[in-house]
Amino acid sequence: MRLRLRCVVPALLAGLGFIAPALPCLGAENTVVKASPAEIAAEKAHRTKLENALAVDPKNLTCRIQLGRVLSDLGAFGDKNASDAAVELLKTLHTEQPKDAEILAFYGNACTIYAQYSSIFTKLSWVHDGFNYMDAAEKASPDDIDIRVTRAINSAQVPGFLGREKLARDDFAWLLKRIQSTPKDFSPDLLRTIYYFNGKFLLEHNDAAAVQILAQAAAIPPPEGDTLTEKIADSLKTAREKFAPSSPIAKVP
C-alpha cells in the first residue's frame, strides 16, 4: 500500500509518507486548495527530501511515485511548475509501468489538478482524461485501497456538474466497509484522512452523518507534524452547530 497521510515527512528510502490526493476544481483561481503556510512548507520539505534521495538512487520507484504525489499537491496549492512536473513524471511512470493501476490512478489525479492551469479550451479534456484514468485504475484493481482513496477524495472535491458525487459516496462507503472488515489494512493516519474527507463531503451535502464521521477523525491521535487537526476540528464544530438542533447523531463526542 502506497498511501499514507499528507505532510508526514518520514525516512527517505523507506516508509515514505503519503501525500493525500490533491483536490481539483475548474475555477479560474490560481489555487485549488486553501493550504496553510505550514502545509505548504511541509510539502516543500518532503519534495526536497525525495529529490535528494533520488539524486542518490535515481531509479528508486517508490521515491519517484511519492515525488509525483508531492508535486501534485504542490500543484493543487498553486504551484503551476510543480503541477507540470507531476503530470510529466507520473505519465513517464505509467509508460514504464503500464500495468500498475495505482500509478495510473495517481496520474489521473494529477491530470485533474493540471486542468486549473490549462486553457479554457482544454480544461474539461484534462479533467475527463483524469477521471477516465482513475476509473480504469479502479476497474483494473477494484480492491486496492490506495486507488479508492485517491478517487474518493478527488471525486468529492470536483464541482457537482461533473457527475462524480455518486462515485465519491460509493467509494467512501466501500472504504468504511473495508475498515470494518479489515481494520489492520489502515494506518491511523490513513483513517484520519478518510474520515476527514468523507465527513467534509457529507457536511457539504447536508448529511448529518458528517458529525459521527468527523468525530471519528478527531478521536484518532495526530502524528507528529500533523496539519489536519485544525481542519478536522473546524469541520466537526461546523457540523455539530449545523445538525445539533435536529439530529441526535450530533451528540457523538
Side-chain angles (χ1 to χ4, degrees), residues 104-124:
L104 180 59
F106 301 156
Y107 176 40
N109 185 62
C111 288
T112 64
I113 294 166
Y114 182 78
Q116 69 169 320
Y117 302 110
S118 66
S119 75
I120 191 172
F121 304 106
T122 61
K123 284 184 185 296
L124 281 177

Side-chain angles (χ1 to χ4, degrees), residues 16-183:
L16 293 171
F18 161 55
I19 304 303
L23 317 174
C25 78
L26 291 179
E29 62 272 18
N30 291 328
T31 343
V32 180
V33 179
K34 292 182 179 179
S36 69
E39 285 180 294
I40 296 172
E43 298 289 79
K44 289 181 176 179
H46 197 175
R47 175 183 182 175
T48 298
K49 287 179 178 291
L50 289 166
E51 289 175 340
N52 289 341
L54 286 169
V56 176
D57 183 10
K59 295 186 181 296
N60 188 291
L61 181 61
T62 300
C63 282
R64 294 171 72 202
I65 292 170
Q66 291 300 320
L67 179 58
R69 303 292 291 138
V70 173
L71 291 169
S72 290
D73 276 355
L74 287 171
F77 291 165
D79 186 335
K80 180 183 182 299
N81 291 334
S83 187
D84 291 343
V87 169
E88 182 178 352
L89 175 55
L90 289 164
K91 181 179 180 179
T92 298
L93 288 169
H94 174 55
T95 300
E96 295 173 358
Q97 306 282 338
K99 294 184 179 181
D100 191 312
E102 288 179 3
I103 290 175
L104 180 59
F106 301 156
Y107 176 40
N109 185 62
C111 288
T112 64
I113 294 166
Y114 182 78
Q116 69 169 320
Y117 302 110
S118 66
S119 75
I120 191 172
F121 304 106
T122 61
K123 284 184 185 296
L124 281 177
S125 177
W126 277 102
V127 168
H128 286 299
D129 283 349
F131 290 164
N132 289 337
Y133 295 148
M134 285 184 284
D135 293 346
E138 187 277 334
K139 184 176 181 180
S141 189
D143 294 326
D144 189 296
I145 293 170
D146 294 6
I147 292 171
R148 292 279 190 161
V149 173
T150 300
R151 191 174 72 165
I153 297 177
N154 184 292
S155 298
Q157 298 299 319
V158 297
F161 73 85
L162 291 173
R164 303 292 283 186
E165 180 181 339
K166 185 178 185 303
L167 270 178
R169 290 186 182 278
D170 291 347
D171 283 341
F172 280 128
W174 184 94
L175 287 163
L176 294 180
K177 184 176 180 180
R178 181 71 176 265
I179 290 168
Q180 290 293 321
S181 62
T182 56

